[in-house]
């Protein structure tokens, strides 16, 4: 097993790093560094800068704008984005809907949606979860009834991240409530957020931010051409999407940046052995996470196969580390400090609680490892 980058990979990393240094606008860099709110325009501005450079969708096929980078280069790129502190690339269009359309979309769907996703013309959101259907997603109830050349959709989604920014939503809906196996009655629909009958209502999270929403569907008409894959095969699409690109859930680059910041911020606490111990433990955990990540990469490089279920470890450990970083930041804060970073720590601490819930809660990730890897 070789966990070191080759000379070419290091050269690639330096090239990406230098480009980011030059092209990440200072105001966006500052907003991310100070944990400030990023508007739809901020997110799309950064998306479009990367699109212009040809780097916004590295994993897509070359004909649709992909970079042809190998798996290690893609990983290095993601980590460098995190390390540089760029605004996030919102995954709903690029990594989720885009990947689904590349795999299951018709030619017409690909031509219609992919260039707009690539160029940042359309902002997408994800309509999976419903009240009572989160971890147990297959129990979802939002229904779509076929009527001529369209479906009529009624129901509700919840926790829809950035639904208030979105032009489009991809949804799991129930098209057949009569099937015995509930997964078989589900379909995958693309909906225009401007369609009559869609209402978006904000949900304010514990950090006070408006990031997620409830989305209501009241007799919304969706053209049949917006069905992805076959009717009743939405679960296959959903599974493909959930399993896609799980390699970057560890967010090592981002956590390394936060760790460096923590060390600087907590310089005056380093004389406290209890604090120093916690910090050292966190650093060791982060190094272990990075090595685990590199181990998965090495396996994938050798086998050419996607990672197995144990890649869920990256989500569990990565998010626990992200939470621990905010905990130590908070512990290191001087109550008298009124600087921007100190002021943002409370909301940031609260905000990071979500990481162990979304994208498949960490309990569910543990179940996956127990079942698929340990055979329990
Ligand atoms: C900030 C945020 C953003 C989100 N964004 C989106 C989005 O954009 N689109 C979208 O569709 N969804 C989104 N979600 C929803 C997210 O996917 C769900 O919250 C998550 O799947 C958990 O579902 P739930 O909230 O219904 O909790 P539940 O499924 O009710 O779970 C409650 C608790 O029980 C545990 N639990 C449940 N089942 C088991 C089990 N079998 N074994 C062990 N423990 C179990 C869970 O881990 C959790 O701790 C978001 C959530 C958050 C917090």
């Amino acid at each position: 097993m070789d966990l070191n980058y080759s000379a070419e990979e290091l050269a690639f990393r330096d090239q990406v790093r230098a480009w980011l240094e030059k092209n990440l606008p200072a105001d966006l860099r500052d907003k991310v560094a100070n944990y400030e709110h990023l508007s739809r325009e901020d997110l799309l501005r950064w998306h479009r800068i990367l699109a212009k450079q040809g780097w916004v969708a590295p994993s897509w096929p070359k004909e649709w704008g992909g970079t042809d980078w190998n798996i290690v280069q893609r990983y290095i790129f993601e980590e460098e984005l995190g390390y540089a502190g760029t605004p996030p690339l919102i995954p709903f269009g690029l990594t989720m809907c885009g990947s689904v359309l590349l795999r299951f979309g018709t030619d017409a769907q690909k031509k219609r949606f992919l260039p707009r996703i690539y160029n940042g013309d359309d902002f997408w959101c994800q309509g999976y979860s419903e009240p009572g259907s989160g971890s147990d997603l297959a129990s979802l109830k939002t229904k779509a009834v076929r009527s001529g050349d369209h479906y009529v959709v009624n129901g509700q989604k919840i926790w829809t991240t950035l639904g208030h920014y979105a032009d489009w939503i991809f949804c799991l809906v129930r098209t057949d409530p009569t099937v015995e196996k509930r997964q078989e009655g589900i379909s995958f629909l693309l909906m225009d957020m401007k369609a009559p009958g869609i209402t978006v209502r904000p949900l304010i999270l514990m950090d006070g931010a408006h990031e997620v929403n409830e989305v209501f569907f009241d007799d919304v008409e969706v053209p049949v051409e917006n069905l992805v894959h076959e009717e009743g095969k939405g679960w296959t699409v959903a599974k493909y999407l959930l399993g896609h690109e799980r390699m970057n859930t560890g967010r090592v680059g981002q956590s390394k940046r936060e760790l460096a910041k923590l060390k600087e911020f907590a310089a005056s606490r380093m004389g406290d052995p209890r604090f120093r111990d916690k910090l050292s433990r966190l650093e060791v955990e982060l190094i272990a996470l990075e090595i685990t990540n590199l181990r998965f990469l090495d396996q994938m490089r050798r086998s050419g196969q996607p990672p197995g279920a144990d890649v869920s470890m990256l989500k569990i450990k990565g998010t626990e580390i992200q939470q621990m970083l905010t905990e130590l930041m908070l512990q290191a804060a001087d109550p008298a400090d009124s600087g921007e970073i100190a002021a943002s720590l409370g909301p940031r601490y609260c905000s990071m609680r979500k990481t162990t819930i979304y994208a498949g809660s960490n309990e569910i990730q543990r179940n996956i490892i127990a079942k698929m890897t340990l055979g329990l």
Side-chain angles (χ1 to χ4, degrees):
M1 189 183 305
D2 184 2
L3 299 184
N4 295 308
Y5 290 135
S6 66
E8 293 79 46
E9 286 159 357
L10 288 174
F12 172 78
R13 186 195 65 188
D14 292 344
Q15 182 203 346
V16 170
R17 203 171 272 186
W19 186 87
L20 288 172
E21 183 64 38
K22 215 162 125 210
N23 291 282
L24 172 60
D27 61 322
L28 293 182
R29 186 193 303 260
D30 289 350
K31 276 191 169 183
V32 174
N34 294 327
Y35 311 117
E36 283 174 46
H37 167 76
L38 292 164
S39 66
R40 175 185 146 108
E41 230 5 86
D42 290 333
L43 295 168
L44 285 177
R45 179 149 63 106
W46 178 238
H47 178 120
R48 288 175 188 145
I49 290 171
L50 283 177
K52 200 160 157 229
Q53 171 69 7
W55 286 358
V56 84
S59 63
W60 288 17
K62 197 111 183 57
E63 56 171 315
W64 292 105
T67 54
D68 239 357
W69 291 338
N70 62 33
I71 178 82
V72 179
Q73 288 174 306
R74 290 196 323 243
Y75 172 76
I76 290 174
F77 178 67
E78 291 267 347
E79 291 303 330
E80 287 303 312
L81 292 181
Y83 194 58
T86 67
L89 279 175
I90 302 303
F92 306 120
L94 286 170
T95 38
M96 296 188 176
C97 191
S99 307
V100 157
L101 289 175
L102 285 163
R103 170 75 179 77
F104 298 100
T106 60
D107 281 348
Q109 286 171 338
K110 286 182 194 164
K111 282 196 189 114
R112 179 174 174 199
F113 293 111
L114 289 178
R116 295 186 62 82
I117 292 176
Y118 190 93
N119 293 321
D121 295 329
D122 290 334
F123 202 111
W124 282 79
C125 65
Q126 177 187 25
Y128 273 22
S129 307
E130 298 182 6
S133 302
S135 303
D136 182 20
L137 192 57
S139 68
L140 63 91
K141 294 188 185 64
T142 294
K143 68 173 187 213
V145 178
R146 175 99 188 234
S147 166
D149 60 358
H150 60 266
Y151 290 96
V152 179
V153 179
N154 280 286
Q156 183 198 342
K157 297 292 171 181
I158 195 168
W159 309 118
T160 318
T161 300
L162 303 183
H164 53 305
Y165 288 175
D167 305 296
W168 285 82
I169 182 168
F170 56 87
C171 275
L172 288 178
V173 293
R174 188 160 297 287
T175 36
D176 186 350
T178 62
V179 284
E180 205 169 300
K181 205 168 166 233
R182 44 193 198 156
Q183 285 85 349
E184 282 167 8
I186 292 174
S187 301
F188 193 97
L189 281 187
L190 311 178
M191 296 192 216
D192 185 341
M193 290 292 277
K194 288 184 289 303
I198 297 190
T199 311
V200 180
R201 279 199 214 141
L203 287 172
I204 304 303
L205 292 178
M206 63 197 290
D207 59 353
H210 176 197
E211 182 182 309
V212 296
N213 301 274
E214 295 179 289
V215 182
F216 298 88
F217 305 92
D218 191 8
D219 285 335
V220 180
E221 292 191 5
V222 181
V224 169
E225 71 219 32
N226 291 5
L227 170 75
V228 178
H229 203 28
E230 293 164 42
E231 188 178 296
K233 292 273 169 28
W235 196 250
T236 310
V237 181
K239 274 197 304 191
Y240 175 80
L241 191 152
L242 286 173
H244 203 74
E245 304 235 325
R246 289 186 296 164
M247 271 306 292
N248 295 99
T249 50
R251 308 240 166 119
V252 172
Q254 183 186 315
S255 290
K256 276 187 181 170
R257 178 170 51 89
E258 290 299 314
L259 181 67
K261 211 175 199 178
L262 170 62
K263 284 181 177 172
E264 202 179 306
F265 187 73
S268 63
R269 291 288 310 273
M270 291 307 178
D272 173 352
R274 283 165 61 90
F275 185 83
R276 231 180 27 233
D277 274 1
K278 286 186 199 162
L279 191 70
S280 310
R281 177 175 280 274
L282 178 63
E283 186 155 11
V284 170
E285 295 265 352
L286 183 52
I287 294 168
L289 175 68
E290 184 171 28
I291 292 171
T292 310
N293 232 330
L294 294 172
R295 205 158 45 80
F296 278 117
L297 274 184
D298 184 63
Q299 274 169 17
M300 288 163 73
R301 190 166 35 185
R302 284 163 191 265
S303 69
Q305 298 293 320
D310 48 354
V311 78
S312 287
M313 273 193 288
L314 301 180
K315 157 80 179 24
I316 298 170
K317 271 289 159 202
T319 51
E320 285 176 357
I321 288 171
Q322 287 161 44
Q323 291 188 342
M324 184 56 77
L325 278 161
T326 62
E327 276 166 46
L328 291 190
M329 274 291 230
L330 210 54
Q331 282 179 28
D334 173 354
D337 184 351
S338 57
E340 272 182 69
I341 292 191
S344 66
L345 291 181
R348 174 132 178 101
Y349 171 86
C350 292
S351 169
M352 294 313 276
R353 304 301 99 192
K354 68 192 173 196
T355 61
T356 45
I357 302 172
Y358 64 39
S361 75
N362 284 16
E363 289 78 18
I364 296 298
Q365 303 292 343
R366 286 192 172 88
N367 284 355
I368 292 172
I369 295 174
K371 196 166 155 197
M372 309 295 285
T373 306
L374 305 175
L376 299 175

